[in-house]
Amino acid sequence: MSGVREFLHPVEHYLRHGQESLATSRFLEGLRGIKFDNPTRFRMYEHVISLFLRHKYAVSAALIYSRMTAEGFTASMSLRVQMSVLRLALTSPDESALLEHLRAAFQQKSFNEAHLRDLLNFLVNIMQCEPVFIDTVVRTFLGTRKSDYTLKSATVSLLVRIHGNAGSVVAAQNWIADHKPATPQPYTDLLDALASADPVNKDAYKWIVGH
């Protein structure tokens, strides 16, 4: 594993300093010169693609992903969905087509809420999607589940933070009210959102206490 860390260190360094092209070339050229076993190679691809996405270098992430699939690797469900959304958005930025594509992904048995949260973070942080669209994506996911399905607390918390950052406190409240999270974290996130967006909203504070 020390060899892997040494290999990835300069890539991470370039990314931290905004040198996208150097990071990309260092990774791809390095792969050609160093032999890793397939499990290690797979983990490196997944790790590096996630790194590029975290630094908002989506096009380079897509390039490395293409190299990964060309080598015969099948990415994790989470990464496959994110990359397919990116490709579709770049070629045909039609909202209805994107939602149909996501509905098909959500219907796969292996797709779960952890994958949904990864996707929502990707849509917000990389694709710069508005909260209204995020809500539509989540409702599309819920449409592929049973009618009594409720979102996990972690997912509700994420939605609260997304809406809180946008100043849409009422929308955040609605997700809590609809899914009644079992842990206090969504309520804590809502309090944080109120403190930033609307600290004098007494009705919202009373609503939290009442729930």
Side-chain angles (χ1 to χ4, degrees):
M1 291 302 293
S2 61
V4 173
R5 285 195 294 270
E6 291 173 3
F7 174 74
L8 292 177
H9 178 73
V11 177
E12 295 170 343
H13 171 81
Y14 288 138
L15 288 174
R16 284 196 302 271
H17 291 82
Q19 297 174 301
E20 177 187 6
S21 60
L22 284 175
T24 305
S25 60
R26 174 66 180 82
F27 179 71
L28 293 177
E29 290 171 7
L31 278 180
R32 284 193 286 268
I34 301 176
K35 299 297 182 183
F36 292 106
D37 59 51
N38 280 345
T40 301
R41 205 172 178 88
F42 170 82
R43 288 194 298 272
M44 283 199 306
Y45 268 121
E46 290 253 333
H47 177 71
V48 166
I49 292 168
S50 295
L51 271 179
F52 273 84
L53 290 176
R54 195 177 310 151
H55 287 274
K56 301 185 179 181
Y57 296 132
V59 174
S60 292
L63 173 65
I64 296 170
Y65 179 75
S66 296
R67 171 75 176 269
M68 178 185 186
T69 57
E71 289 191 23
F73 292 110
T74 300
S76 63
M77 167 65 79
S78 182
L79 187 56
R80 289 203 311 273
V81 172
Q82 291 176 49
M83 290 293 97
S84 66
V85 167
L86 176 61
R87 183 174 62 250
L88 188 59
L90 291 173
T91 57
S92 176
D94 178 73
E95 184 175 306
S96 60
L98 179 56
L99 290 172
E100 282 302 314
H101 176 78
L102 288 175
R103 181 177 287 106
F106 297 158
Q107 289 172 334
Q108 297 184 47
K109 290 183 178 180
S110 57
F111 193 95
N112 59 40
E113 274 194 54
H115 301 140
L116 176 65
R117 291 191 294 274
D118 288 343
L119 173 63
L120 297 181
N121 278 313
F122 171 78
L123 291 173
V124 171
N125 298 321
I126 307 302
M127 304 299 291
Q128 304 291 303
C129 294
E130 296 292 330
V132 171
F133 181 71
I134 297 301
D135 286 352
T136 302
V137 170
V138 177
R139 291 192 183 101
T140 300
F141 170 81
L142 290 170
T144 65
R145 299 304 190 262
K146 294 180 179 179
S147 59
D148 60 348
Y149 185 94
T150 56
L151 295 171
K152 297 183 184 301
S153 293
T155 306
V156 177
S157 277
L158 176 56
L159 290 166
V160 169
R161 291 195 299 273
I162 289 170
H163 282 286
N165 290 338
S168 49
V169 172
V170 173
Q173 286 176 278
N174 288 340
W175 281 112
I176 291 176
D178 290 345
H179 294 273
K180 299 176 176 58
T183 69
Q185 189 58 51
Y187 299 94
T188 302
D189 291 329
L190 182 56
L191 284 170
D192 290 341
L194 281 169
S196 299
D198 195 1
V200 296
N201 189 336
K202 293 181 180 179
D203 289 338
Y205 286 109
K206 289 179 181 177
W207 183 91
I208 294 173
V209 172
H211 285 73

